[in-house]
Amino acid sequence: MEEKGTREPVIRLDGVSKVYAIGEEKLRALDGVSLDIYPGEFACIIGRSGSGKSTLLNMMAGLEKPSRGRIRVAGRQIERMNESQLVQFRLKYVGFVFQSFNLFAMHTALDNVAMPLMYKGMPRAQRAARARAMLDAVGLRTHMRHRPGEMSGGQQQRVGIARALVTGPKILFADEPTGNLDFNTSREILRLIRSICRERGTTLIMVTHDPEMAQYADRVVRLLDGRVTENTLNAHPADIPGPAISKEDT
């Protein structure tokens, strides 16, 4: 991959710092981070616990405001937005996949996936049709009426992926999306996320502590003590290995 001067980044961070006050002490989680991420990239943010990677993701997603610096996402200067504006911004541009799935236990897979569309004011029949199509795309055609407790971890994460992508976001943020899964299921879930995002042209930003993930990404960003120590492009991301199993088998 080559960065072109005429290309506009979908995310631009300029001198972003984040300081938390803990009693009388101050903890610097991010220290002057500047970073560009381009449309359609799979960017992998790697760092050990406490490196600042989750804080960086929260900054880019508009979940937290920086102590200093500027953050431009999808053409909008998000650090200037109030909370109401940020909620609408996230509904329009952003999807999230979480390590712990964050599904509603008493709702079916179909209802879980349709929920973001309800918040956008989409009519019930339309959001149900779109949710069914998205669950079909992640291989859960036969599990639409299942509740989370009736599904495996891999199946629950597929529901989480479908929910994150059902609104057609420009950017998908994935925070340790395979952290609660076994090795083989982790690879299958990563293959699924990367495949769907490439097909749709969605920018994928994944936070992980696993250095193996770097070889599968277009861009690798390493953090240490709140600073970027590496920001490299991978011209030929590796194929994600694993058995050719059915999507419904995980």
Side-chain angles (χ1 to χ4, degrees), residues 98 100-116 118-119 144-151 156 159-160 163:
F98 303 96
S100 55
F101 315 141
N102 286 10
L103 303 178
F104 292 95
M106 300 307 295
H107 291 272
T108 65
L110 185 65
D111 288 340
N112 268 280
V113 174
M115 203 157 293
M118 180 181 69
Y119 294 141
M144 295 189 187
R145 297 297 176 184
H146 287 57
R147 290 179 171 83
E150 301 168 328
M151 293 184 285
Q156 290 183 64
V159 176
R163 180 184 58 188

Side-chain angles (χ1 to χ4, degrees), residues 5 31 44 82 108:
D31 189 5
C44 190
N82 60 36
T108 65

Side-chain angles (χ1 to χ4, degrees), residues 24-169:
E24 296 183 356
E25 297 185 4
K26 292 185 177 180
L27 172 65
R28 186 175 294 275
L30 293 178
D31 189 5
V33 172
S34 295
L35 177 66
D36 287 348
I37 296 175
Y38 288 81
E41 283 188 341
F42 171 17
C44 190
I45 300 173
I46 299 176
R48 63 193 184 200
S49 179
S51 63
K53 60 186 186 298
S54 290
T55 301
L56 179 58
L57 182 144
N58 289 341
M59 294 288 111
M60 291 188 287
L63 297 173
E64 296 185 55
K65 288 186 177 290
S67 302
R68 191 176 67 181
R70 294 175 294 178
I71 305 173
R72 189 171 182 84
V73 181
R76 304 284 300 279
Q77 211 70 39
I78 66 171
E79 84 278 359
R80 299 174 182 172
M81 295 181 183
N82 60 36
E83 188 54 38
S84 177
Q85 291 170 326
L86 284 168
V87 168
Q88 293 305 312
F89 175 82
R90 288 192 291 267
L91 279 172
K92 184 174 182 181
Y93 292 107
V94 171
F96 296 93
V97 177
F98 303 96
Q99 177 178 348
S100 55
F101 315 141
N102 286 10
L103 303 178
F104 292 95
M106 300 307 295
H107 291 272
T108 65
L110 185 65
D111 288 340
N112 268 280
V113 174
M115 203 157 293
L117 300 174
M118 180 181 69
Y119 294 141
K120 295 189 74 169
M122 184 176 291
R124 181 168 185 166
Q126 187 178 350
R127 64 179 185 253
R130 187 175 292 189
R132 282 194 292 269
M134 197 66 240
L135 282 166
D136 191 18
V138 299
L140 290 178
R141 179 184 299 178
T142 62
H143 291 71
M144 295 189 187
R145 297 297 176 184
H146 287 57
R147 290 179 171 83
E150 301 168 328
M151 293 184 285
S152 68
Q155 289 165 345
Q156 290 183 64
Q157 192 58 291
R158 289 177 184 276
V159 176
I161 294 166
R163 180 184 58 188
L165 292 171
V166 73
T167 60

